[in-house]
Amino acid sequence: MTPSLPADWTPALVPAAAVCARMIAAVAVGTLPLGSALPIRVRVAVAVALAAVAWPQVVTVVRPGPSALAVAGEAVVGLGLGLVVAATCAAAAWAGGIVGSVAGLAWADDFTPEGDAQSAGLARLAWWLGLAGFIAAGGHLAVVAGLIDSFQALPVGVGPAAVTDRVVAAAGSAVHLALSLAGPALAAVTAFHIAAAICLRTIRLVPGAGMLQAAAAAVAIALVVAGLPTWIDGFGTAARSRVERDLSGAASAIP
């Protein structure tokens, strides 16, 4: 005799699979900035725990008769929610990468040409500073609450179209945040280059190889150190507010 599931379990199988699909996709994409620092087993465990916590909310708002196709749709929704988190958290690294490229601090390719270009240099430093500020501001709690509460704004089966606008808005917000962080350092490095060019034209000094690049790098690092409250506290607060807004407003109007 072929074993069968109890009749009262069958209607819950598809919604449960959809919830797991959304959380697994959201955690997998949202933790991409962490790279190999977070093992896959930990990511899966976090996704399953979030799905278990969110399940009591899902059963109250799930739409009747979700099909197996809803599981694929929920994976796409989770992909969008994960992109919101990943883009926001990566904004500090983008800012550091911009400043590092202008100041000549992108040295990863010189030491490890086969490695990741972001594994060394100012971009990675800025990312760790931003992550510290994000966690200190309670951003990780905002992410967990936003993913769980997303089932209120986006019930299972609503479809991925409702999250598209929020993903685009989150990407734009992340770029704006990165440029806001990098702006003062870029202005200072540009002013240094202009001043150095004027001085070299005036006193006819021929600098040694790499002297100007080293001086520009020192200026960039000094500005990052001087602006630590902005790179940590300011970024953490701004990133948390953006995550809360974009996750909670992922579908302000459900058709």
Side-chain angles (χ1 to χ4, degrees):
M1 179 180 297
T2 303
S4 59
L5 293 173
D8 56 344
W9 285 20
T10 304
L13 287 179
V14 174
V19 172
C20 290
R22 178 187 294 194
M23 288 303 183
I24 290 174
V27 172
V29 177
T31 56
L32 281 178
L34 292 173
S36 59
L38 191 66
I40 295 179
R41 290 178 295 180
V42 176
R43 302 185 193 196
V44 173
V46 170
V48 172
L50 289 175
V53 174
W55 178 249
Q57 295 188 28
V58 175
V59 295
T60 62
V61 297
V62 63
R63 294 192 170 185
S67 63
L69 188 61
V71 177
E74 288 304 303
V76 177
V77 172
L79 173 66
L81 297 177
L83 285 174
V84 168
V85 177
T88 304
C89 294
W94 297 348
I98 294 172
V99 177
S101 297
V102 173
L105 281 171
W107 298 332
D109 290 337
D110 297 333
F111 296 102
T112 56
E114 72 283 356
D116 183 9
Q118 298 298 326
S119 62
L122 191 58
R124 199 61 177 176
L125 173 63
W127 184 83
W128 281 110
L129 293 176
L131 180 63
F134 186 69
I135 294 177
H140 58 299
L141 301 178
V143 171
V144 171
L147 290 177
I148 294 174
D149 294 340
S150 67
F151 290 98
Q152 296 290 335
L154 286 170
V156 174
V158 73
V163 79
T164 304
D165 292 341
R166 287 297 91 197
V167 173
V168 175
S173 298
V175 172
H176 178 268
L177 186 57
L179 294 178
S180 299
L181 283 173
L186 286 177
V189 172
T190 302
F192 167 80
H193 281 299
I194 294 174
I198 295 174
C199 291
L200 292 178
R201 288 284 186 176
T202 303
I203 62 178
R204 303 291 183 179
L205 174 67
V206 179
M211 181 180 296
L212 290 179
Q213 291 81 355
V219 170
I221 293 177
L223 286 169
V224 171
V225 172
L228 280 180
T230 300
W231 285 85
I232 297 179
D233 297 336
F235 172 80
T237 303
R240 174 179 176 169
S241 64
R242 280 169 168 77
V243 165
E244 288 178 339
R245 181 197 63 193
D246 293 330
L247 290 182
S248 63
S252 56
I254 299 175

